[in-house]
Amino acid sequence: HEDRLVIGANSATFAHPNTGTPCDKGGAVYVYERDEATLLWSYQAKLIALDAMTDNYFGENFALIDTAAVIGARNDNEKEYDVDGNGGTYTGSAYVFRKFSGKWSQQQKLIAHDMLLYHPDRHIDLATQEVYYGNKKFNYDIALDEDWLVVGTSRVDAFDEPMDAVYVFKENPEMHRWSLQQKLFANNESDMPPQWNLTEQQTTVHLRHSTLISTMTSPGNETSFIFTLPENHMASHDSGWSALQMLQNH
């Protein structure tokens, strides 16, 4: 944003202002605004998660538009449970902050309920019984434009899990609430180059109006997928993003 600047400090350590709980590497984001006359920047606010905890790394990535900021916490300890009651952790989350009446406050917390959970029982090589602690991370990268929010993921996984997804959220302009609209993938894993490393990859996202670029990187490889919105997407709530092209970056 031209007159607003945010600086992430994902290793910031502090005592939580509401609970007093020590948060070592809980993370924070600092907001500055520029004076139109002097062009100098001044400190406005320090943003931390309402449920900040040690090693959350809040502020590692973020996106800013107008009076909204979306901030990722790579190791947020948001537990989800499977049908057997096994809990997961460290899947990450994204926090939405808004500025109302001159004050920044947390508006919403977004998580991916279907992310692969950090649970050792799910990563056992049946042949060797070796445990591999694989993981997927929600919020490896964040992009924000108008009323669309896109979150990329990363994966370190030794087994044949589905390819990483890009999560697309849309804001309700009246309620100022975000909801998941779509998950975007490569059409299938056969689209990827034969040398692609499916066990260690990250997804970055770029968003501008009706064009979304999702770039998947793996050691020695990089492939971009371009998605678009139909021209009448503003009139149809049900219309969504569709794949346009795959680019192999050489």
Side-chain angles (χ1 to χ4, degrees):
H1 192 274
E2 293 182 357
D3 296 316
R4 190 167 294 119
L5 170 69
V6 292
I7 299 176
N10 68 330
S11 297
T13 297
F14 52 89
H16 196 288
N18 297 331
T19 65
T21 305
C23 297
D24 183 22
K25 298 178 182 177
V29 165
Y30 298 87
V31 182
Y32 294 82
E33 293 188 2
R34 185 172 60 178
D35 184 273
E36 294 182 0
T38 66
L39 301 182
L40 297 179
W41 297 88
S42 61
Y43 169 80
Q44 298 294 312
K46 176 182 178 179
L47 308 182
I48 63 173
L50 293 177
D51 58 352
M53 295 181 65
T54 292
D55 291 332
N56 273 9
Y57 294 100
F58 173 89
E60 187 167 76
N61 45 62
F62 46 81
L64 174 70
I65 185 170
D66 297 328
T67 58
V70 181
I71 304 167
R74 166 166 50 101
N75 279 359
D76 179 52
N77 201 16
E78 182 68 42
K79 292 183 175 65
E80 294 290 313
Y81 295 89
D82 63 15
V83 293
D84 298 320
N86 298 314
T89 187
Y90 303 130
T91 53
S93 60
Y95 294 80
V96 181
F97 285 77
R98 271 201 178 273
K99 184 180 181 181
F100 289 109
S101 301
K103 182 179 180 180
W104 287 89
S105 60
Q106 182 178 318
Q107 175 193 24
Q108 194 174 354
K109 177 178 178 178
L110 305 175
I111 62 174
H113 293 274
D114 59 349
M115 290 293 286
L116 178 67
L117 304 178
Y118 184 89
H119 195 276
D121 292 345
R122 300 179 183 178
H123 300 83
I124 298 178
D125 187 321
L126 297 180
T128 64
Q129 294 299 303
E130 180 181 358
V131 176
Y132 183 89
Y133 292 88
N135 204 356
K136 283 185 179 178
K137 296 290 188 184
F138 176 75
N139 81 32
Y140 181 80
D141 196 22
I142 299 172
L144 184 63
D145 190 51
E146 298 177 347
D147 55 355
W148 291 101
L149 165 64
V150 181
V151 180
T153 62
S154 67
R155 176 176 67 179
V156 178
D157 197 322
F159 294 90
D160 190 20
E161 295 291 335
M163 295 190 67
D164 285 352
V166 171
Y167 292 77
V168 181
F169 296 83
K170 188 173 178 60
E171 184 185 31
N172 181 318
E174 296 179 356
M175 303 296 294
H176 291 297
R177 300 288 291 180
W178 298 84
S179 59
L180 180 65
Q181 295 292 302
Q182 210 171 346
K183 286 175 61 180
L184 303 177
F185 302 88
N187 289 338
N188 54 67
E189 294 195 357
S190 65
D191 288 342
M192 304 303 292
Q195 71 274 24
W196 187 261
N197 182 348
L198 291 174
T199 65
E200 183 178 347
Q201 62 192 51
Q202 299 85 36
T203 304
T204 58
V205 288
H206 303 275
L207 179 63
R208 182 66 174 171
H209 301 314
S210 60
T211 300
L212 164 61
I213 302 175
S214 168
T215 300
M216 299 176 65
T217 59
S218 182
N221 299 284
E222 184 174 275
T223 301
S224 295
F225 298 88
I226 301 177
F227 298 86
T228 61
L229 276 175
E231 293 183 0
N232 64 342
H233 74 278
M234 295 300 293
S236 173
H237 178 76
D238 296 327
S239 60
W241 297 83
S242 59
L244 175 67
Q245 189 177 4
M246 182 184 77
L247 302 176
Q248 177 63 45
N249 301 332
H250 300 284

